[in-house]
Amino acid sequence: MSFSSFFIQSIKRDFQIAAIQKHEFILPVLFFILVIVLFPITVGPDGTMLSRLASAVGWIALILSMLIALPRMFAEDFENGWLEQVFLSGVPHSLIVLSRIVSFWLLYCLPLVFCSFLLVPFMSMEVGLWSVLVQTLLLGSILTACLGAVASALLVASRKGGGVMALLLIPLLVPSLIFAGAAMDAAQQSLPYTAPITILAALAVFSLTIAPLATAQALKLNMG
Amino acid sequence: MFKWLHPYAKPEKAYQLSLAFQRFFMPLAICGLIVGCIWGLVFAPTDYQQSDSARIMYIHVPAAIWSMGVYMSMGIAGFCALVWQIKLLEISVLAMAPIGAAFTAIALFTGSLWGKPMWGTWWVWDARLTSELILLFLYMGVFALFQSFDDKRTGAKAACILAVIGMINVPIIHYSVEWWNTLHQGASITKLDKPSIAPSMLWPLLINIVSVLCLFIAFTCYRFATELLRAESHRKWVLEILGK
């Protein structure tokens, strides 16, 4: 089997599994919406305040629902032995991991980015600003998926690791949050915002290059 | 060099070496800290602007410098442990992590004590403060990851991977935070430039910086030796030492 056909098949498999287990795929999205709803309720229905907070809320909701989704990234394949079989099959390990990252991003991150449209009615965000937020969220969710792949691979065999995920993921996400915040800030003042978004894209490409290697190492370590 | 280093891959020899290091560096660190602190806190001239509160610098600066230095050495040790599969280096990574976290916490705590009279606030979201805070979380992550495994060896290796990833990330975090800060507020905090400090204040500071390094080495060697005994607790040489 050639590498590209393996890549496509593995992604197809993840989609089929997600189609069977719909609840797992829906839960992070529901969580995302719930976090967004929390803010108007706690802050109060004041429109100007909410629209200032909107982009930050979108990012926080994305990270929190990623923390819900990420522990499942490798857990099932690890437990039922599929991962070990594939690792023995001679396909490069980082390719296996990369296909999982891509399918995870398509299945879990992309719906969240679409759902962030709810910020427009709920937090009275401008549609123009939302389109900038979507750009940062698209790139940022690639980064989150990559770093989260490493974290969830490290924790895949540990029973007590639930709370540790946040501690591993959030400090590493700080740079992307800063650049996303800078882009949103610039867009709010109608200044050019291409520079921070380009840096964000560079960070995403960098992590997409490094993360599969580190993730494969971490998975191999857990297989013993 | 490898011929010379080779015997120390044996846990027994490494244990003896680390104890010898600890015996050498511990008195050095204590003497240096006593001299540096008394010199700095009592005899050094007061700062013309900040009066006596600037004296906290003699504790704050060494802790802050070595909080970053420890992370670097931890990352390098973790990298070597992963590449050459050296078990002893894995243990050394775990020996360093809590010490680095303690240095970071001391730097943050003394910094906020210093900040209250000088800046009028305990905390500002300044670049240095933020990256130091994130460093503290990175240290905690390394240790929490180790603790979350039942199998110590797997946990140690996972901690090494995280230490290496953190080492790649520390410069990115540092520069992004710096950029974020300059975007939001102008440079308002005076930085400690080496040439701009009077020699009468520089000397106690240098003594303290060196002796905190000695303290770090001594603590690491002690923790390393203890962890080694625990990891090898079923071996004969450990039983002999413990039986004594």
Side-chain angles (χ1 to χ4, degrees):
Chain A
M1 189 164 36
S2 74
F3 291 160
S4 57
S5 77
F6 169 83
F7 189 77
I8 291 161
Q9 268 194 10
S10 139
I11 288 176
K12 220 184 253 170
R13 174 183 167 274
D14 287 335
F15 271 84
Q16 282 163 348
I17 291 175
I20 296 165
Q21 306 174 327
K22 287 187 193 67
H23 58 285
E24 286 208 2
F25 161 73
I26 298 294
L27 269 178
V29 177
L30 279 177
F31 187 77
F32 183 82
I33 297 167
L34 282 172
V35 172
I36 289 179
V37 170
L38 270 182
F39 276 85
I41 293 170
T42 47
V43 174
D46 174 24
T48 48
M49 177 72 123
L50 286 179
S51 64
R52 269 185 62 200
L53 289 177
S55 59
V57 171
W59 262 94
I60 291 171
L62 179 89
I63 291 173
L64 290 181
S65 28
M66 282 285 107
L67 288 179
I68 297 267
L70 277 171
R72 309 290 310 155
M73 195 168 184
F74 295 107
E76 218 163 292
D77 290 340
F78 182 78
E79 274 159 24
N80 63 25
W82 181 83
L83 214 54
E84 199 164 352
Q85 291 302 318
V86 166
F87 264 51
L88 290 173
S89 70
V91 183
H93 298 168
S94 42
L95 185 73
I96 300 163
V97 173
L98 184 67
S99 75
R100 188 75 188 107
I101 291 175
V102 170
S103 69
F104 181 87
W105 185 74
L106 290 172
L107 279 168
Y108 291 94
C109 301
L110 218 51
L112 296 185
V113 176
F114 287 127
C115 276
S116 73
F117 185 73
L118 283 174
L119 287 169
V120 175
F122 283 3
M123 312 258 315
S124 53
M125 197 182 193
E126 289 165 39
V127 180
L129 264 182
W130 175 74
S131 68
V132 183
L133 179 68
V134 165
Q135 293 172 35
T136 64
L137 281 182
L138 278 176
L139 294 168
S141 59
I142 296 176
L143 243 159
T144 319
C146 290
L147 293 172
V150 183
S152 84
L154 282 173
L155 289 169
V156 76
S158 81
R159 298 266 161 236
K160 303 173 256 177
V164 184
M165 178 68 86
L167 196 52
L168 300 192
L169 187 63
I170 293 174
L172 299 182
L173 277 179
V174 166
S176 62
L177 281 174
I178 284 170
F179 290 116
M184 293 310 298
D185 234 37
Q188 225 148 21
Q189 300 163 15
S190 49
L191 294 168
Y193 53 82
T194 336
I197 285 197
T198 326
I199 296 174
L200 205 57
L203 283 177
V205 171
F206 178 66
S207 61
L208 208 54
T209 328
I210 300 283
L213 296 171
T215 311
Q217 271 297 321
L219 284 173
K220 246 187 285 180
L221 167 72
N222 275 308
M223 285 173 197
Chain B
M1 193 183 81
F2 283 106
K3 211 168 186 178
W4 175 76
L5 274 176
H6 195 213
Y8 295 110
K10 212 171 149 192
E12 211 174 329
K13 291 272 183 201
Y15 176 79
Q16 283 161 0
L17 182 74
S18 65
L19 276 193
F21 264 48
Q22 192 238 337
R23 282 197 202 104
F24 178 72
F25 279 106
M26 201 63 187
L28 211 65
I30 292 171
C31 293
L33 276 178
I34 290 171
V35 170
C37 284
I38 291 176
W39 191 350
L41 297 179
V42 182
F43 295 112
T46 51
D47 190 272
Y48 80 102
Q49 241 177 351
Q50 307 195 348
S51 71
D52 276 335
S53 59
R55 290 184 194 279
I56 204 167
M57 158 181 99
Y58 299 109
I59 295 163
H60 174 74
V61 173
I65 288 177
W66 292 116
S67 68
M68 283 174 242
V70 171
Y71 201 92
M72 267 299 148
S73 60
M74 197 172 84
I76 293 166
F79 182 77
C80 295
L82 287 175
V83 172
W84 287 286
Q85 299 285 323
I86 304 170
K87 190 180 165 193
L88 296 178
L89 281 177
E90 289 163 18
I91 295 174
S92 79
V93 167
L94 295 169
M96 287 181 220
I99 301 168
F103 281 177
T104 318
I106 290 170
L108 282 171
F109 181 70
T110 54
S112 83
L113 281 185
W114 195 3
K116 186 60 186 163
M118 287 308 115
W119 304 337
T121 164
W122 296 106
W123 185 265
V124 279
W125 286 103
D126 166 65
R128 291 191 164 206
L129 279 76
T130 315
S131 52
E132 194 76 4
L133 185 67
I134 293 165
L135 194 68
L136 182 64
F137 290 133
L138 285 175
Y139 275 122
M140 286 176 174
V142 169
F143 210 67
L145 185 63
F146 170 66
Q147 294 291 343
S148 68
F149 281 87
D150 291 328
D151 179 29
K152 296 274 180 239
R153 187 82 201 274
T154 320
K157 276 189 182 168
C160 287
I161 294 181
L162 189 67
V164 173
I165 293 169
M167 191 176 63
I168 299 170
N169 255 281
V170 161
I172 299 178
I173 291 172
H174 184 80
Y175 285 107
S176 66
V177 167
E178 206 129 275
W179 192 75
W180 168 60
N181 175 54
T182 49
L183 193 79
H184 280 256
Q185 59 182 70
S188 57
I189 294 109
T190 50
K191 282 179 187 159
L192 184 79
D193 283 329
K194 275 276 150 61
S196 69
I197 181 170
S200 55
M201 291 160 99
L202 182 66
W203 275 109
L205 187 61
L206 279 181
I207 289 174
N208 263 8
I209 289 173
V210 173
S211 43
V212 168
L213 173 65
C214 293
L215 195 70
F216 159 64
I217 295 172
F219 278 163
T220 306
C221 286
Y222 188 68
R223 275 187 56 83
F224 176 76
T226 321
E227 290 282 330
L228 199 59
L229 285 185
R230 194 161 65 183
E232 304 268 308
S233 57
H234 53 283
R235 294 287 167 82
K236 206 171 147 197
W237 66 270
V238 177
L239 294 176
E240 269 168 21
I241 288 168
L242 295 179
K244 261 194 283 189

